[in-house]
Amino acid sequence: MRTWFLCKVKYAKENEEGLLKNVSEQYLVDAVSFTEAEARIYDMLGSVIRGDFQVTSISKSNIVDVFFFEDVDVWHKCKITYIIADADSGKEKKVTQYMLVTAHNVKEAYERIYESLNNMLVSFNVPDISESQIVEIFPYEKDDEELNPAIPDNLKPLAEVENESENIEEN
């Protein structure tokens, strides 16, 4: 399960007239800790934002899933509710989750969240959809070199070491 962190970043942005204006923007980062979220946001934005920027806050987000569609980059926050039976007591329990989806407007966000969740085994409701202030989302990529550094030459995979030790024992 992913853990999403909401990062607020403050920097000077050039407007249409060429003047610098201080802005504060929100970004969503998939990370395992606050430290990794901070490192990833500095890494991702360092090449995009000209000049200095400051990460003013990092907090765990209540977002559980993100659905990205290529045609638009406006994020909508969707509140999803559904009822499940509690395994211990047998009583019904209402579950609320928040998800993000890209869409041009609220109606399209509603349609896209239904399309994305059509394989859920329980019936669900979408009681609330609102446009999010999140500018961009940085999901975890398996190819991130900083997160998966190259294995040093002096180390071997465990399976190879076990095979070598079995071969030595047989001889």
Side-chain angles (χ1 to χ4, degrees):
M1 188 170 149
R2 293 180 172 208
T3 304
W4 294 98
F5 291 87
L6 185 64
C7 302
K8 293 182 183 174
V9 177
K10 193 174 196 176
Y11 67 98
K13 185 176 188 176
E14 191 173 323
N15 63 13
E16 294 84 29
E17 294 117 28
L19 300 173
L20 291 177
K21 182 180 178 187
N22 285 334
V23 295
S24 183
E25 296 180 336
Q26 296 180 13
Y27 297 88
L28 198 66
V29 179
D30 182 15
V32 295
S33 67
F34 286 90
T35 305
E36 183 189 7
E38 183 179 19
R40 291 197 66 213
I41 198 72
Y42 273 107
D43 184 53
M44 298 293 190
L45 296 181
S47 60
V48 177
I49 296 176
R50 291 188 317 196
D52 292 336
F53 65 92
Q54 180 181 10
V55 177
T56 57
S57 77
I58 299 175
S59 59
K60 270 192 177 178
S61 173
N62 58 359
I63 302 296
V64 295
D65 213 345
V66 173
F67 301 103
F68 177 71
F69 292 84
E70 297 280 338
D71 62 337
V72 68
D73 58 355
V74 178
W75 292 96
H76 289 77
K77 187 174 183 177
C78 304
K79 180 179 180 180
I80 311 297
T81 61
Y82 55 92
I83 308 269
I84 60 169
D86 188 358
D88 297 333
S89 65
K91 294 181 180 177
E92 288 187 343
K93 180 180 174 185
K94 183 178 181 180
V95 176
T96 301
Q97 294 183 329
Y98 293 91
M99 300 177 188
L100 288 176
V101 64
T102 53
H104 292 95
N105 52 46
V106 172
K107 181 180 183 230
E108 187 178 46
Y110 181 82
E111 292 165 356
R112 287 183 171 181
I113 201 71
Y114 261 92
E115 175 187 327
S116 300
L117 297 176
N118 67 358
N119 60 351
M120 279 186 71
L121 298 175
V122 295
S123 60
F124 61 92
N125 292 319
V126 184
D128 186 34
I129 297 177
S130 60
E131 190 171 320
S132 172
Q133 297 297 315
I134 294 170
V135 175
E136 194 168 347
I137 293 181
F138 299 113
Y140 172 75
E141 302 289 336
K142 291 187 179 191
D143 298 336
D144 281 352
E145 289 183 22
E146 79 175 51
L147 301 174
N148 293 322
I151 298 173
D153 293 333
N154 63 332
L155 298 178
K156 296 179 186 177
L158 183 59
E160 284 183 24
V161 174
E162 289 173 346
N163 286 339
E164 288 176 3
S165 64
E166 287 175 8
N167 290 340
I168 292 172
E169 290 175 6
E170 289 176 2
N171 294 335

